[in-house]
Amino acid sequence: MAKKMGIYKCEHCGNIVEVFVEGGAPIICCGEKMIFMEEKTADQSVEKHVPFIEKTATGYKVRVGKETQHPMADEHYIQWIELVVDQYVLRKELKPGDLPEAEFTIEEGKDVYAREYCNVHGHWRG
Ligand SMILES: [Fe+2]
């Protein structure tokens, strides 16, 4: 069964989808179940992926990598950064050469977290 806000990837064609509403069936692509991309929360290597949230005067800034920025090369980069503030879901799509960060203008929330997706290392939450 698909999970609300779950990210699923097709191992064959590379399609990636996010679920808005949970249905009762698995998500199929290229004839097979899409893979659920688990939200990882702890880096175990030197390279940092867990998104880091800072409060700004107008909202929030999310960075991937505190001291060392995550690479943004053609073959390895952060594809998007999402910020969830209460019932709002904000997303910035990134491309190679961009900074691995995103700034969002929104009122301060109670339940705030960020997620990001690395094209090599998958889905992360912080
Ligand atoms: Fe990575």
Side-chain angles (χ1 to χ4, degrees):
M1 182 173 113
K3 186 174 181 235
K4 183 173 170 62
M5 288 189 67
I7 301 289
Y8 293 80
K9 183 175 184 178
C10 175
E11 284 190 318
H12 301 285
C13 73
N15 272 342
I16 297 175
V17 301
E18 181 168 356
V19 174
F20 295 126
V21 178
E22 286 183 1
I27 302 173
I28 307 295
C29 187
C30 297
E32 280 189 42
K33 269 191 190 175
M34 294 182 85
I35 305 298
F36 175 65
M37 303 302 289
E38 198 77 48
E39 294 172 349
K40 294 177 261 187
T41 56
D43 280 295
Q44 285 159 2
S45 63
V46 176
E47 188 182 275
K48 300 301 174 200
H49 287 91
V50 177
F52 174 71
I53 304 173
E54 295 168 89
K55 183 77 186 84
T56 66
T58 57
Y60 297 93
K61 183 172 186 174
V62 181
R63 289 187 288 151
V64 182
K66 245 184 192 175
E67 287 91 32
T68 310
Q69 288 185 333
H70 185 279
M72 290 299 283
D74 286 343
E75 67 283 352
H76 181 199
Y77 67 102
I78 304 303
Q79 289 185 271
W80 70 83
I81 293 173
E82 254 180 7
L83 180 72
V84 179
V85 180
D86 299 329
Q87 73 271 42
Y88 293 95
V89 180
L90 309 165
R91 179 173 52 245
K92 181 180 183 185
E93 296 189 356
L94 301 172
K95 59 185 184 310
D98 289 342
L99 289 172
E101 60 186 43
E103 205 161 341
F104 301 97
T105 300
I106 188 166
E107 283 182 28
E108 189 167 358
K110 288 189 174 86
D111 184 20
V112 179
Y113 63 91
R115 307 193 304 176
E116 63 91 348
Y117 193 89
C118 168
N119 71 325
V120 175
H121 300 106
H123 199 204
W124 297 79
R125 175 174 169 152

